Amino acid sequence: ETGVTQSPTHLIKTRGQQVTLRCSSQSGHNTVSWYQQALGQGPQFIFQYYREEENGRGNFPPRFSGLQFPNYSSELNVNALELDDSALYLCASSNRLAGVLYEQFFGPGTRLTVL
Amino acid sequence: GQNIDQPTEMTATEGAIVQINCTYQTSGFNGLFWYQQHAGEAPTFLSYNVLDGLEEKGRFSSFLSRSKGYSYLLLKELQMKDSASYLCAVQAGGYQKVTFGTGTKLQVIP
């Protein structure tokens, strides 16, 4: 077990709704990355948070947003949900020291279904 | 951008050795990860290569050649529980974004 936790485990929403997913990083880690994984695909990078600021973003629209808190936990918010947002959302925790990002460990994920 | 290629599927026999290859094209390379992912579960960290060469960790070994943009994961003494997807991921760029390949689905047969 990595020590990275995510909530909720599963979630069902309808199109147009908003959702907030949560992640607690592993103790000692200061960086959180969020990924979306569709069935049969590799995880796709959404964004990364370091020291409470967004520190890089993948090809996702602005309705995907996030936060990182002083304790390094993080939230992913998705507005105006679309059917294609149905996926496994993964949070990965890692440590950045002197500009170098070390191994990242994943939480168990949140399975989001949009109807 | 980054381009990562790995075979879609592989089949190997219990007790055998299998090598899963990964090739990549990127700028600002920092390191390469291998993850194991069982169906319906999150990826589990296997290895992280920064320098060229082979790193061995029990039954699993990972090799990296930065000049060739090439890595492989070697699994020895295959067990049925090794049936899973194996994801190659490259860490690169200023904020060290990690980009994943689509994964190699390995089936271990008796």
Side-chain angles (χ1 to χ4, degrees), chain A:
Chain A
E1 223 171 279
T2 65
V4 183
T5 61
Q6 290 186 244
S7 63
T9 308
H10 296 84
L11 200 53
I12 299 175
K13 291 283 189 178
T14 55
R15 264 190 316 179
Q17 285 189 308
Q18 178 266 343
V19 69
T20 297
L21 310 181
R22 295 179 175 83
C23 170
S24 290
S25 59
Q26 186 165 309
S27 177
H29 284 184
N30 57 21
T31 302
V32 171
S33 302
W34 285 93
Y35 295 85
Q36 179 195 67
Q37 187 176 24
L39 207 59
Q41 301 295 316
Q44 297 295 309
F45 176 76
I46 302 174
F47 41 54
Q48 181 186 102
Y49 277 84
Y50 170 64
R51 290 187 175 177
E52 302 177 55
E53 290 192 1
E54 188 179 291
N55 189 231
R57 191 178 184 92
N59 294 326
F60 281 81
R63 59 189 185 84
F64 285 77
S65 63
L67 286 172
Q68 186 180 33
F69 300 99
N71 65 355
Y72 303 125
S73 65
S74 178
E75 287 182 356
L76 164 65
N77 299 291
V78 187
N79 293 322
L81 282 168
E82 301 177 359
L83 296 180
D84 285 349
D85 296 334
S86 295
L88 179 67
Y89 287 85
L90 295 162
C91 159
S93 163
S94 50
N95 208 21
R96 182 191 294 268
L97 294 172
V100 178
L101 194 67
Y102 291 89
E103 300 95 318
Q104 63 175 11
F105 298 93
F106 283 89
T110 295
R111 173 74 61 187
L112 173 65
T113 302
V114 182
L115 302 176

